[in-house]
Amino acid sequence: MSFIPVVLCGGSGTRLWPLSRKSFPKQFLPLINNKSLLELTFERVTSQELMVVAAEEHRFMVLEKMVSLGKQGVILLEPTSKNTAAAMTIAALEKKNSDSLLLFCPADHYIPDSDYFLNTIKSALPAAKDGAIVTFGVSPFFPSTAYGYILRGDANSAGGYLAKEFVEKPSETRASELLLSGNYFWNAGIFLCKPSTLLDAVERYAPDVLKSCQAAMASKQKEEIAANCTFVRPDETVFASCRSQSIDYAVMEHHDRVVVFPFGGQWSDVGSWKAVAELLPSDDVGNRIVGNGIACSSQNVFIHAGDRPVVALGVQGLTVIDTPDAVLVLDHKHVEQVKDLVLQLEAKKYTQAISHRRVARPWGWYDCVDAGERFQVKRIGVKPGASLSLQKHQHRAEHWIIVKGTAEVTRDQEVFILTENQSTYIPIGVTHRLKNPGMVELEIIEVQSGSYLGEDDIVRIEDNYGRA
């Protein structure tokens, strides 16, 4: 029996702020060898057909990565995040008539030994085929307080062990006790089962979740897109009524047929800056540096820098994360509190809590480099062959200066080409479009001026990406 990977891609990764933000969370960041965790997950599962459960706002980032790696299948788009119980349930409902097993994999884990991982999955196929929900427990090698734990019970006839108890993130003392007992695994949050097995368990232990998901999927919408990929959207209003809860709380802690298979390979959920640092080599005094960072007379320092120099002088045990619009400096002991910090920033209405200065779009990106009263300056990059929507603005005019590549400009009834060092002006209310007809990325400087410069001052007349 085959299995279909279901990649759970809905997390926001706030513990890795300010690099990871809701608009561009950690699974999309090129954290390891210039590859994202999502890309590494797609490569690890090897299957050409897969399913991804992702947020609506991230759909084009997921699609782009699937197409670039030759993957195909369904991208289930959650209109709002409802945690893993709902995400896994709508995936099982989408495949309820399939004979294949479903392998639920978080999109943000690091597992370097793909062969060992797949061999472990294959060893668990008979147990899942027999009706168990299989989970995979990582053999712990230190008393982590950042992971949940699974207590193994008796050996199962199909292999593995019955899961006797799920333990939430413990204190340091309790974590040491669990490690020394030798009977506990870290909970990796990876599951293998038949669609019907999961749906029966959700019906038994979380019937309200199943009811909401069934109703949302009954009126789902499908959108066929490029390269044998399909967007599937559950009903937004119905899905919003679903209870938000993890699959562990909703089902696994109660179910009597959860079987845990040991996984002895390297694994990380890359859930904190400490976890990111541990994936990197250190110098003789424990310093780890990414980017343009320098540690002078310092020990056990982690610096994640961008283009500008970031210098740590005479300090110990610090993490420094530098981005163009926010800097985080913390003691290593406080890495688990970054998530709480982001909530405080959100409460104070800091836009940096949610979005980056550089914003991804399906056609490319833009970066707001300066702004003031009645003006804003952006760098805009457009992928080869891509174009922005045909649009107009009610409150702002725009000046475009081409700095790299070739631009095809639509301005009312005119269509003309601009190249490097050429420019044009788009008055208020004029219909316009920017397209890249070339083979290299187009980059422009856009200077906006007017009484209101918000992103919602866009009247889209025609769009290649289905946006309103």
Side-chain angles (χ1 to χ4, degrees):
M1 175 179 286
S2 62
F3 65 85
I4 298 173
V6 181
V7 179
L8 304 175
C9 192
S12 57
T14 52
R15 288 184 178 88
L16 295 190
W17 185 88
L19 201 61
S20 173
R21 307 185 195 183
K22 184 179 179 182
S23 65
F24 201 85
K26 70 174 182 177
Q27 57 266 32
F28 299 105
L29 298 170
L31 285 176
I32 300 169
N33 297 325
N34 207 34
K35 289 186 177 183
S36 69
L37 295 170
L38 177 64
E39 184 176 359
L40 292 172
T41 301
F42 284 169
E43 291 177 349
R44 182 166 60 249
V45 297
T46 68
S47 173
Q48 184 181 12
E49 179 190 2
L50 49 78
M51 181 186 297
V52 182
V53 185
E56 173 77 25
E57 64 185 297
H58 301 147
R59 64 193 185 279
F60 292 110
M61 290 187 282
V62 173
L63 175 63
E64 181 180 31
K65 193 56 60 181
M66 285 181 66
V67 171
S68 68
L69 294 176
K71 305 292 184 179
Q72 62 185 40
V74 169
I75 304 173
L76 269 167
L77 298 174
E78 296 179 292
T80 183
S81 176
K82 291 296 180 179
N83 216 313
T84 51
M88 291 172 61
T89 299
I90 59 174
L93 287 167
E94 180 66 15
K95 291 294 183 181
K96 63 183 179 181
N97 297 320
S98 172
D99 293 331
S100 297
L101 300 173
L102 301 181
L103 175 66
F104 295 95
C105 301
D108 55 359
H109 288 185
Y110 177 59
I111 305 173
D113 193 340
S114 297
D115 290 339
Y116 184 77
F117 171 77
L118 288 175
N119 286 335
T120 303
I121 301 301
K122 291 175 182 177
S123 70
L125 293 176
K129 184 179 178 181
D130 193 43
I133 298 178
V134 175
T135 188
F136 298 89
V138 177
S139 302
F141 54 92
F142 70 94
S144 173
T145 60
Y147 303 141
Y149 288 73
I150 304 172
L151 172 62
R152 73 180 189 187
D154 297 333
N156 181 266
S157 59
Y161 303 89
L162 290 175
K164 192 173 182 180
E165 179 188 12
F166 284 76
V167 179
E168 290 306 306
K169 297 176 181 179
S171 66
E172 191 170 342
T173 300
R174 179 60 175 152
S176 297
E177 294 172 353
L178 300 181
L179 179 66
L180 291 172
S181 77
N183 293 318
Y184 286 85
F185 300 106
W186 287 335
N187 182 2
I190 302 171
F191 301 95
L192 178 71
C193 62
K194 295 188 290 188
S196 59
T197 297
L198 180 66
L199 294 174
D200 288 346
V202 176
E203 183 176 30
R204 180 177 176 186
Y205 302 110
D208 60 315
V209 172
L210 179 62
K211 183 178 180 181
S212 296
C213 290
Q214 285 175 324
M217 292 297 285
S219 53
K220 66 188 178 186
Q221 295 183 343
K222 288 190 174 185
E223 180 185 354
E224 301 292 336
I225 46 181
N228 297 316
C229 294
T230 304
F231 287 149
V232 174
R233 295 178 171 87
D235 183 274
E236 181 176 358
T237 302
V238 177
F239 193 75
S241 68
C242 185
R243 173 162 55 95
S244 179
Q245 194 172 39
S246 73
I247 196 68
D248 290 335
Y249 279 126
V251 173
M252 302 303 166
E253 292 183 354
H254 313 291
H255 195 44
D256 55 3
R257 291 204 66 191
V258 178
V259 176
V260 56
F261 276 70
F263 177 73
Q266 184 183 354
W267 168 88
S268 172
D269 72 346
V270 200
S272 69
W273 282 116
K274 179 176 183 292
V276 174
E278 288 172 347
L279 298 176
L280 302 169
S282 68
D283 65 15
D284 294 340
V285 290
N287 297 319
R288 294 174 166 89
I289 309 293
V290 174
N292 202 11
I294 303 170
C296 299
S297 301
S298 299
Q299 296 180 3
N300 194 26
V301 170
F302 174 44
I303 300 174
H304 195 292
D307 295 331
R308 60 185 175 184
V310 176
V311 182
L313 174 61
V315 298
Q316 296 184 24
L318 291 184
T319 291
V320 183
I321 312 299
D322 180 51
T323 68
D325 61 348
V327 179
L328 173 68
V329 181
L330 61 90
D331 187 291
H332 290 339
K333 297 190 293 290
H334 295 279
V335 291
E336 294 299 325
Q337 295 173 240
V338 174
K339 183 177 183 179
D340 299 329
L341 170 67
V342 174
L343 292 176
Q344 294 179 41
L345 294 173
E346 287 183 14
K348 293 180 179 180
K349 308 298 183 183
Y350 281 97
T351 58
Q352 291 91 340
I354 302 296
S355 59
H356 285 276
R357 203 183 76 176
R358 177 167 166 149
V359 178
R361 286 289 184 259
W363 42 260
W365 55 270
Y366 72 81
D367 183 0
C368 183
V369 297
D370 196 9
E373 186 177 357
R374 296 183 63 87
F375 84 91
Q376 185 168 233
V377 181
K378 290 181 177 180
R379 289 175 59 210
I380 297 176
V382 185
K383 301 172 189 174
S387 63
L388 283 65
S389 60
L390 183 66
Q391 59 185 251
K392 62 182 179 180
H393 309 295
Q394 304 288 359
H395 304 285
R396 73 175 186 246
E398 296 174 347
H399 294 258
W400 294 346
I401 303 107
I402 314 304
V403 296
K404 186 177 73 173
T406 301
E408 180 185 290
V409 177
T410 299
R411 189 176 60 191
D412 275 346
Q413 303 305 313
E414 297 179 89
V415 179
F416 53 92
I417 297 294
L418 295 177
T419 57
E420 292 182 15
N421 298 318
Q422 295 182 324
S423 63
T424 191
Y425 170 61
I426 311 294
I428 293 174
V430 169
T431 300
H432 60 278
R433 168 176 264 161
L434 178 66
K435 180 178 180 179
N436 180 0
M439 302 295 290
V440 299
E441 184 179 62
L442 164 66
E443 187 173 327
I444 74 167
I445 300 296
E446 177 181 87
V447 181
Q448 303 174 356
S449 60
S451 60
Y452 179 72
L453 306 173
E455 282 299 301
D456 54 348
D457 182 26
I458 299 176
V459 180
R460 288 194 177 94
I461 299 164
E462 181 181 298
D463 184 61
N464 296 334
Y465 309 102
R467 297 170 298 172

